[in-house]
Amino acid sequence: INQGFKKFPRIVREISRKLNKKIRLTIRGEHTRISQEMLDAAIPSLLHMIRNSIDHGIESADERAAKNKPESGEITLSARQKKDRVIIEIIDDGQGLDRERIVEKAIKNGLLSRKQLADLAEDEIYNFIFSPGFSTSEQVSDVSGRGVGMDVVLTEIKKIGGVVSVYSEKNKGCRFELDLPVSLKQ
């Protein structure tokens, strides 16, 4: 997987410089084996999620200081083998997903009623971010808000036999987990 991961440090440096954020990228499991076709198919989704982590997840240095966090945000990109699957995680130590904002937007978009809310688990609420056209962002940026939403990420990962899971904790960060086959030929 190293072949695909080695381009991310430069991308993270460029985007963080553009957004005036300090970000450390840690890469783990770069020697995990995956077919080139699968890697090529997954890279655009990984790039989108890393852009989102930098743009929406990691706070500015001032916001981080106010939360008693280190000035530099941390993004970890990791891969590991799990039988005939590869698990890739994008983890950031940013602000996490805003549950209340997601709920309000889901209600406003007609995806959820207040009555249904009581029956939803936390992960089901976070999964609304994968709905077409769904965004809690106040402004569109040229870094992550370019018309390609998380619905496209989910669709592309499903096309190649993968699964996407999201975990978040307010002011602690967010973790996206991609569970992919080792090869497209499976």
Side-chain angles (χ1 to χ4, degrees), residues 52-53 55-59 63 67 69 92 94-107 112 114 117 121-130 134-138 150 166-176:
N52 275 352
S53 285
D55 197 12
H56 304 303
I58 304 289
E59 309 94 335
E63 290 172 298
K67 295 176 182 178
K69 289 183 170 184
D92 70 59
Q95 58 194 345
L97 297 176
D98 188 331
R99 181 190 187 281
E100 290 74 30
R101 192 180 245 167
I102 291 170
V103 166
E104 289 306 315
K105 189 70 172 204
I107 290 170
L112 176 68
R114 294 233 179 256
L117 179 60
E122 206 71 9
D123 62 328
E124 292 174 300
I125 291 170
Y126 293 142
N127 282 334
F128 283 114
I129 68 169
F130 297 110
F134 194 91
S135 177
T136 59
S137 204
E138 306 253 337
M150 290 299 289
V166 60
Y167 308 91
S168 181
E169 190 174 344
K170 188 173 180 110
N171 292 319
K172 300 283 185 189
C174 195
R175 175 171 59 100
F176 286 92

Side-chain angles (χ1 to χ4, degrees), residues 72-117:
S72 291
E74 178 79 32
I75 295 176
T76 303
L77 177 61
S78 70
R80 70 181 188 281
Q81 210 80 41
K82 185 177 177 184
K83 297 184 183 177
D84 62 342
R85 309 283 290 180
V86 172
I87 308 299
I88 299 175
E89 293 179 316
I90 298 102
I91 305 165
D92 70 59
D93 71 344
Q95 58 194 345
L97 297 176
D98 188 331
R99 181 190 187 281
E100 290 74 30
R101 192 180 245 167
I102 291 170
V103 166
E104 289 306 315
K105 189 70 172 204
I107 290 170
K108 182 180 176 187
N109 290 358
L111 301 171
L112 176 68
S113 69
R114 294 233 179 256
K115 184 178 175 184
Q116 293 169 312
L117 179 60

